[in-house]
């Protein structure tokens, strides 16, 4: 329930305490159709008011307060216009009085975007925003324990076979139906990817099955993590569905489960499978998964591991690759039919000049650091009294070389022992670097079952994958929405945390699309910065 109360209805009232009258300026609004006081400011006694009038000090503000207005107000409005609020309120109906579960979910979402932090900070932040006069709930109703109690009322099924009873799953299905009706999603392109997030879940916590140790993509291998698979509309960026899974599950193992959910989502909303093209990266590409995709009837585009493509196509000279149209600036692409995974598919070699420059910058920066480290190590080994063991030296060098792609081919090294002391020699492989420049940097291999598509159509379709990667960066860096730190340690609360975080991404994408009409080329980071600067000043 939302209340738009601007401009405020202000009036002067008095309250008797003891034998004296004290005066207040109050602002009123209609809540559930009835007038209610939503803000009051203390003025003082009658003598104090008389002194103000005698001194003609009325133009001087007695008090001034500010409220965050732009970003929380825009998110509230987007929740209404996009249909999110109606779905939340229908899934979790409001109680007879006080905030509903839908209020707690939406407030957690908005707080994660505006000022990420624990639920103990929400009440004070809520007091300083436009949300308090809009909702007319006192801040004391949004303590951390209130969030905990509200989330406990959400039915979350840990067993995926009983997902029909999962209220979060039901809400996702309803949201897709509403967005389809409002034409906020297309039927053409779905982008899919996976990532993981480290948690602060203790190693001794046996109640948590989602947080497990695995290869953490943020480099925090010492912490337990949770995995997240995510599907969004490749054209508009709206979230379609997501799934939180155990942190020790590999990307290739998650796709079959995600595909089952995607197919169910399409069938439930009467979207023909053959009209949909699923886009994913090479981390998910595997023979078993391509067979599952064929059985599902869903079209797909995948990045292909470099060593699985035909050698002749990989080594094609850039000058012989056709240049794409201005919709794909600086991109060359060629398509050929090839046998991959035992079947004929359309294989596309894409070369991007901007991607090549980014990779070259990354390689040269990493190369400089590693060569300097190798030089220091070689000098340390030459010092008298050095007691480094062979295994330690080799492990250190391998760790440096694996820190960035291609370094293992560009640096040659040799470790010898003489008179009980180790000697390190290394060199830069100029031939390998030249081959890297001419036949590898800037190149991506794509595979698809859309045999009638052109090379440029495949390249354009795969670009939807970049939207998912942007979402993951926005979550991990906190530039869009702060996923972490996640202060939950039970599976059900982690599912709920993921639900309102991904729903927040959808609202940001919705606002961004609306803003693009007035400000073409505006990025989400710029949008957030502009909205944060809009404040409401309440002067008395």
């Amino acid at each position: 329930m939302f209340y738009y109360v601007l401009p405020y209805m202000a009036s002067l009232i008095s309250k008797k305490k003891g034998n004296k009258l004290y005066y207040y300026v109050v602002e009123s609004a209609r809540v559930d159709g009835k007038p209610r006081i939503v803000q009051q400011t203390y003025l003082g006694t009658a003598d104090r008011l008389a002194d103000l009038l005698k001194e003609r000090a009325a133009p001087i503000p007695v008090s001034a307060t500010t409220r965050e207005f732009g970003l929380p107000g825009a998110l509230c409005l987007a929740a209404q216009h996009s249909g999110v609020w109606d779905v939340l309120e229908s899934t979790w109906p409001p109680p007879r009085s006080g905030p509903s579960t839908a209020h707690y979910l939406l407030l957690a979402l908005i707080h994660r975007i505006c000022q990420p932090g624990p639920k103990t900070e929400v009440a004070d932040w809520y007091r300083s925003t436009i949300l308090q006069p809009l909702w007319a709930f006192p801040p004391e109703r949004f303590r951390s324990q209130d969030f905990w109690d509200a989330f406990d009322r959400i039915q979350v099924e840990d067993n995926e076979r009983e997902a029909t009873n999962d209220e979060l799953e039901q809400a996702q299905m309803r949201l897709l139906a509403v967005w389809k009706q409002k034409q906020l999603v297309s039927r053409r392109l779905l982008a899919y990817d996976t990532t993981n997030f480290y948690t602060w879940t203790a190693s001794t916590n046996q109640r948590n099955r989602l947080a497990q140790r695995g290869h953490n993509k943020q480099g925090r291998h010492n912490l337990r993590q949770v995995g997240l698979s995510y599907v969004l509309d490749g054209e508009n960026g709206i979230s379609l569905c997501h799934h939180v899974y155990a942190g020790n599950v590999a990307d290739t193992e998650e796709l079959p489960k995600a595909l089952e959910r995607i197919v169910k989502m399409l069938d439930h909303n009467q979207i023909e499978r053959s009209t949909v093209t699923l886009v994913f990266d090479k981390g998910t590409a595997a023979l078993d998964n391509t067979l599952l995709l064929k059985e599902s009837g869903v079209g797909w585009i995948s990045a292909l591991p470099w060593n699985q493509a035909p050698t002749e196509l990989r080594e094609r000279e850039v000058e012989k690759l056709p240049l794409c149209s201005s919709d794909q600036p600086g991109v060359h692409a060629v398509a050929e039919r090839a046998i991959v995974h035992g079947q004929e598919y359309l294989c596309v070699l894409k070369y991007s000049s901007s991607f090549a420059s980014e990779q070259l910058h990354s390689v040269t920066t990493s190369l400089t650091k590693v060569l300097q480290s190798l030089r220091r190590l070689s000098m340390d080994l030459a010092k008298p009294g050095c007691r480094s063991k062979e295994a330690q030296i080799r492990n250190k060098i391998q760790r440096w070389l694996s820190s960035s792609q291609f370094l293992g081919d560009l640096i040659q090294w040799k470790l010898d022992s003489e008179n009980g002391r180790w000697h390190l020699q290394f060199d830069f492989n100029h031939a390998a670097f030249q081959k890297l420049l001419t036949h590898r940097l800037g190149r991506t291999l794509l595979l698809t079952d859309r045999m009638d598509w052109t090379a440029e159509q495949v390249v354009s379709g795969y670009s939807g994958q970049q939207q998912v990667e942007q979402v993951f960066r926005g979550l991990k860096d906190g530039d869009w929405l702060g996923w972490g730190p996640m202060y939950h340690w039970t599976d059900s609360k982690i599912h709920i945390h993921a639900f309102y975080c991904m729903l927040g991404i959808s609202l940001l994408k919705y606002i961004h699309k609306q803003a693009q009409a007035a400000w073409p080329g505006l990025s989400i980071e710029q949008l957030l910065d502009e909205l944060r600067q809009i404040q409401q000043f309440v002067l008395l």
Side-chain angles (χ1 to χ4, degrees), residues 491-507:
D491 290 344
S492 63
K493 300 300 185 300
I494 292 174
H495 280 291
I496 294 169
H497 178 86
F499 175 79
Y500 61 70
C501 281
M502 305 320 293
L503 190 56
I505 293 293
S506 293
L507 288 183

Side-chain angles (χ1 to χ4, degrees), residues 377 381 388-397 415 422:
L377 177 60
L381 293 176
S388 298
K389 301 294 180 66
E390 179 182 6
Q392 294 175 333
I393 299 171
R394 292 186 181 276
N395 289 337
K396 184 180 290 186
I397 295 173
L415 187 65
W422 293 102

Side-chain angles (χ1 to χ4, degrees), residues 196 209-212 225-228 243-250 254:
N196 49 49
R209 293 184 295 176
L210 286 175
Q212 302 292 337
Q225 65 183 22
V226 297
L228 175 73
H243 178 227
V244 182
Y245 57 92
N248 56 359
V249 176
E254 169 61 16

